[in-house]
C-alpha cells in the first residue's frame, strides 16, 4: 500500500462513518498522511480525527476510535493505533517480494506515480535563469506525476535555486541535466566534465550502465532459455529500494527536491550492479525458478531506473 492508497483508504473510512451515521461531518476531499516521526508508533500517521473533531462536536479520541473500527482489518494495513490527543498511526502490511516485483513490472516506468496530490494546485513564477528553468520543469513533471495541477504562472512560487549554466551542447543533454538536478537546488551544480567519463566514480554513468545491464540480462536470459518470472520470492536489499521508490517520488515533489530522485537512483544502481552476477546460471549450473525470480527482480530494478531517469529528463540507454 502506497501513501496515496492509505490516504484514500482513510478517506473512505470517513465516508463510511458518515454514511453509517457514526459521524456528522463533511467528508474531506483529501486526507493527509505523513511518515511517522522518529520514535513514534507505526510507519504513517494522520491527524484527520483532530481536524474532524470540532465539526463533529466530539472529542478527537472518539472520532479516532470511530475511524479505527472501520480501518482495522483493511487489506494492506497490519495495525492501527491511536496516540496522543487523537492521531491515527498505521503499520502497513508488507507485500511479499514476489508481489512487489509483480507490481513494478505491471506498472512499468509509471511505477511510483499516483494521485497523492490530486486536487492540489502549484504555481511557479516564470524564471529566466537557466538552472531554475530546468529545476522548475522537472518539478512540474514530479507534481503532475502525483496528480497535482502544476504550471508556470505569474505570482507563483519561486524556488531557491543556486544559479548554473545549462550546457547540452558541451556536455550532452543527459550530463547537462544531471549536473543541475543531482545537486540540491540551493547547492552549487556538479562539475560538468567528470560526468562525461565512463567510470564507476561517475554516478550518472553507473545509473545508466545499471539500466543497460538489466536490459542485457533479459537478452542473455532468453538465449539461455530463462525468462523472468516473479512467481517465487527472492530476498535482496533491492526489494527495499523498489518499495521506497513511490515515497521518494512523492517526497521529491512535496519538498521541491529532484535531487532526492537522483540519489535514490544511485542506490538502486549500486544494488543492481552488485546483484547482477547472481542472476543467471553460471557454467554448468541448470536454470531454476530462483534464476527466473532473480531475473524478474533485475528487470523491475531496471524499470525503476528507467522511470526515475525519465522524471529527470535523462535517457535510459539499453546498451552502453
Amino acid at each position: 500500500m502506497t501513501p496515496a492508497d492509505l490516504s484514500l483508504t482513510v478517506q473512505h473510512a470517513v465516508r463510511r462513518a458518515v454514511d453509517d451515521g457514526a459521524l456528522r461531518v463533511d467528508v474531506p476531499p483529501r486526507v493527509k498522511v505523513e511518515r511517522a516521526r522518529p520514535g513514534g508508533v507505526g510507519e504513517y500517521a494522520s491527524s484527520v480525527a483532530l481536524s474532524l473533531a470540532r465539526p463533529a462536536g466530539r472529542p478527537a479520541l472518539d472520532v479516532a476510535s470511530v475511524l479505527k473500527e472501520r480501518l482495522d482489518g483493511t487489506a494492506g494495513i497490519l495495525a492501527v493505533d491511536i496516540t496522543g490527543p487523537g492521531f491515527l498511526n498505521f503499520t502497513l502490511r508488507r507485500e511479499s517480494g514476489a508481489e512487489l516485483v509483480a507490481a513494478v513490472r505491471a506498472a512499468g516506468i509509471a511505477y511510483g506515480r499516483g494521485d497523492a496530490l490530486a486536487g492540489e494546485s502549484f504555481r511557479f513564477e516564470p524564471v529566466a535563469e537557466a538552472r531554475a528553468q530546468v529545476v522548475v520543469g522537472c518539478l512540474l513533471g514530479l507534481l503532475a506525476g502525483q496528480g497535482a495541477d502544476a504550471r508556470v504562472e505569474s505570482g507563483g512560487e519561486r524556488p531557491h535555486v543556486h544559479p548554473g549554466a545549462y550546457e547540452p551542447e558541451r556536455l550532452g543533454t543527459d550530463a547537462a541535466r544531471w549536473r543541475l538536478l543531482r545537486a540540491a537546488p540551493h547547492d552549487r551544480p556538479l562539475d560538468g566534465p567528470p560526468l562525461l567519463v565512463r567510470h564507476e566514480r561517475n554516478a550518472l554513468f553507473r545509473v545508466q550502465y545499471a539500466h543497460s545491464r538489466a536490459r542485457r540480462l533479459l537478452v542473455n536470459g532468453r538465449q539461455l532459455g530463462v525468462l523472468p518470472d516473479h512467481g517465487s520470492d527472492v530476498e535482496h536489499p533491492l526489494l527495499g529500494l523498489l518499495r521506497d521508490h513511490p515515497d521518494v517520488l512523492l517526497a521529491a515533489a512535496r519538498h521541491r527536491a529532484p535531487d532526492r530522485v537522483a540519489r535514490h537512483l544511485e542506490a538502486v544502481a549500486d544494488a543492481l550492479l552488485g546483484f547482477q552476477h547472481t542472476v543467471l546460471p553460471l557454467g554448468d549450473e541448470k536454470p531454476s525458478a530462483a534464476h527466473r525470480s532473480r531475473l524478474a527482480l533485475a528487470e523491475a530494478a531496471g524499470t525503476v531506473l528507467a522511470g526515475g531517469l525519465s522524471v529527470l529528463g535523462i535517457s535510459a540507454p539499453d546498451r552502453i
Side-chain angles (χ1 to χ4, degrees):
M1 177 177 286
T2 67
D5 295 332
L6 179 58
S7 174
L8 287 174
T9 298
V10 179
Q11 183 193 50
H12 292 162
V14 175
R15 182 172 288 111
R16 290 199 303 275
V18 171
D19 292 343
D20 294 345
L23 290 177
R24 294 185 178 180
V25 294
D26 292 330
V27 179
R30 177 176 170 270
V31 172
K32 187 176 182 180
V33 296
E34 297 180 307
R35 280 282 189 183
R37 294 179 180 178
V41 177
E43 300 162 272
Y44 293 92
S46 175
S47 60
V48 62
L50 281 74
S51 63
L52 294 178
R54 177 173 291 181
R58 299 173 62 178
L61 285 172
D62 286 356
V63 176
S65 295
V66 169
L67 298 179
K68 182 180 187 303
E69 290 176 6
R70 287 154 179 80
L71 289 164
D72 282 334
T74 300
I77 298 178
L78 182 63
V80 182
D81 295 286
I82 300 173
T83 61
F87 290 101
L88 288 169
N89 294 75
F90 305 94
T91 301
L92 301 185
R93 191 181 305 279
R94 293 296 188 187
E95 72 265 72
S96 69
E99 292 171 331
L100 174 62
V101 171
V104 177
R105 296 180 70 204
I109 64 170
Y111 172 68
R113 302 176 191 179
D115 56 2
L117 300 181
E120 297 192 35
S121 296
F122 299 87
R123 300 292 180 264
F124 295 96
E125 183 73 19
V127 290
E129 196 277 322
R131 187 186 184 197
Q133 288 182 349
V134 172
V135 171
V136 168
C138 184
L139 291 175
L140 293 176
L142 279 166
L143 289 163
Q146 300 301 321
D149 174 20
R151 65 185 71 176
V152 174
E153 192 173 88
S154 295
E157 176 184 348
R158 184 186 291 272
H160 175 60
V161 177
H162 191 290
Y166 176 53
E167 304 173 294
E169 63 286 338
R170 183 171 75 95
L171 301 174
T173 300
D174 291 348
R177 291 185 66 85
W178 183 269
R179 171 178 179 262
L180 300 180
L181 296 173
R182 170 58 180 84
H186 57 272
D187 290 338
R188 289 180 178 276
L190 301 183
D191 189 14
L195 297 175
L196 300 178
V197 179
R198 294 190 170 193
H199 192 279
E200 61 183 9
R201 289 194 298 269
N202 178 357
L204 172 59
F205 172 74
R206 290 203 313 276
V207 171
Q208 292 182 314
Y209 178 66
H211 174 266
S212 72
R213 287 302 304 145
R215 301 305 302 171
R216 193 63 198 171
L217 285 170
L218 292 170
V219 174
N220 293 344
R222 285 195 294 271
Q223 292 171 347
L224 295 173
V226 180
L227 299 179
D229 184 354
H230 50 258
S232 57
D233 269 335
V234 56
E235 292 298 326
H236 193 272
L238 263 174
L239 290 169
L241 293 168
L242 301 190
R243 189 174 282 118
D244 289 343
H245 187 62
D247 286 347
V248 170
L249 293 180
L250 179 57
R254 279 182 167 156
H255 297 286
R256 319 292 192 269
D259 58 293
R260 295 190 181 204
V261 179
R263 290 199 304 273
H264 181 65
L265 296 182
E266 290 176 18
V268 174
D270 290 343
L272 176 56
L273 291 174
F275 173 65
Q276 61 171 325
H277 304 294
T278 69
V279 173
L280 296 176
L282 298 175
D284 296 331
E285 189 179 6
K286 293 185 179 298
S288 67
H291 294 116
R292 293 189 289 273
S293 295
R294 292 173 198 155
L295 186 56
L297 175 56
E299 180 188 23
T303 298
V304 165
L305 291 173
L309 286 169
S310 72
V311 165
L312 301 177
I314 295 173
S315 68
D318 284 352
R319 300 194 69 173
I320 291 183

